[in-house]
Amino acid sequence: MRTPEDFHWLSRHEPLDDIYCVSFVRGLSPREVLRRFGVDESTLEEVTFDELSVRSAENAEDAAGFVGAVRIGEWTMLVEPGGWRLAVVAELGARVSAGTEAVSVCRHDYAADSFTYLAGGELVTHFDPMAPNARSGGDPDRLVAWMREVGLDPDSDDAAQDDADLTLRIPACFALASRITGLPFTPDLLELRFLGAEPLDQ
């Protein structure tokens, strides 16, 4: 069972920089996840993670300029370098999660971080890791037991957390995502080849 300590590599190596969204979508191919996300299919190509990051930065406006997806078991991992859309845009989340489920962890250096869990096109649980007591969604308490296990106190807000707690918030969110998906999020996953494309709506 994954713990927040398993995800400290994100802050040590910073491969995703300070703004990103990593999502996991069950049972869909990378091509289908990208289609639902809304990409220019004429730009589809296989890329490395480094190429994905460079393309995203080159094409970015106010969100990821290039997104990538890769199959891991029964899930597809979608990475938005410099992006945030799947975690926070309701219409997009509904479209991607229709008939299945999706979980997103969004890190945003100068806006709000977020954890989002969707199922069947509906928002189940959403919260800012700095204020896990302020949850929204159709079933905001569904993940409460797991939140406690990974150190996201569902009764606390940022005023009640010390600095050490806050540095663990994104690793804790990835540990929570791992409870849902059964997947790790390890550095070697970023060594895989991604199917990438330019979003139609940035």
Side-chain angles (χ1 to χ4, degrees):
M1 188 171 291
R2 297 281 167 170
T3 67
E5 287 73 20
D6 293 315
F7 303 96
H8 283 178
W9 62 271
L10 285 161
S11 58
R12 288 196 301 268
H13 303 299
E14 297 186 346
L16 291 162
D17 209 358
D18 53 7
I19 301 174
Y20 60 82
C21 185
V22 177
S23 304
F24 302 89
V25 185
R26 184 193 290 272
L28 301 180
S29 69
R31 183 177 292 270
E32 175 63 13
V33 170
L34 290 172
R35 186 191 70 77
R36 292 187 181 197
F37 186 89
V39 300
D40 179 349
E41 295 191 41
S42 70
T43 66
L44 283 167
E45 63 176 298
E46 192 173 280
V47 294
T48 66
F49 175 75
D50 288 342
E51 291 169 336
L52 172 64
S53 296
V54 169
R55 295 282 186 85
S56 183
E58 289 175 345
N59 297 328
E61 293 180 9
D62 65 348
F66 206 77
V67 298
V70 61
R71 189 69 177 254
I72 307 169
E74 66 174 313
W75 295 78
T76 284
M77 179 174 72
L78 177 75
V79 179
E80 300 172 63
W84 42 266
R85 295 184 65 239
L86 186 52
V88 301
V89 178
E91 296 83 358
L92 178 56
R95 186 167 69 238
V96 171
S97 67
T100 185
E101 58 184 318
V103 55
S104 296
V105 178
C106 180
R107 167 81 175 97
H108 203 300
D109 187 48
Y110 59 85
D113 299 334
S114 63
F115 179 93
T116 305
Y117 175 56
L118 306 114
E122 301 291 335
L123 177 64
V124 178
T125 303
H126 174 87
F127 61 87
D128 180 337
M130 292 181 68
N133 65 314
R135 298 178 300 281
S136 60
D139 190 359
D141 294 335
R142 183 179 299 188
L143 306 177
V144 161
W146 282 342
M147 289 175 69
R148 287 197 175 96
E149 288 179 5
V150 301
L152 289 165
D153 185 346
D155 301 317
S156 293
D157 60 20
D158 58 343
Q161 296 175 320
D162 60 27
D163 290 341
D165 290 330
L166 297 180
T167 63
L168 294 175
R169 65 186 185 276
I170 292 298
C173 284
F174 277 106
L176 180 59
S178 183
R179 295 294 198 281
I180 296 168
T181 65
L183 297 175
F185 181 48
T186 52
D188 60 295
L189 295 185
L190 300 183
E191 300 298 321
L192 298 173
R193 301 285 294 185
F194 288 77
L195 183 64
E198 295 180 15
L200 290 169
D201 183 16
Q202 296 183 43

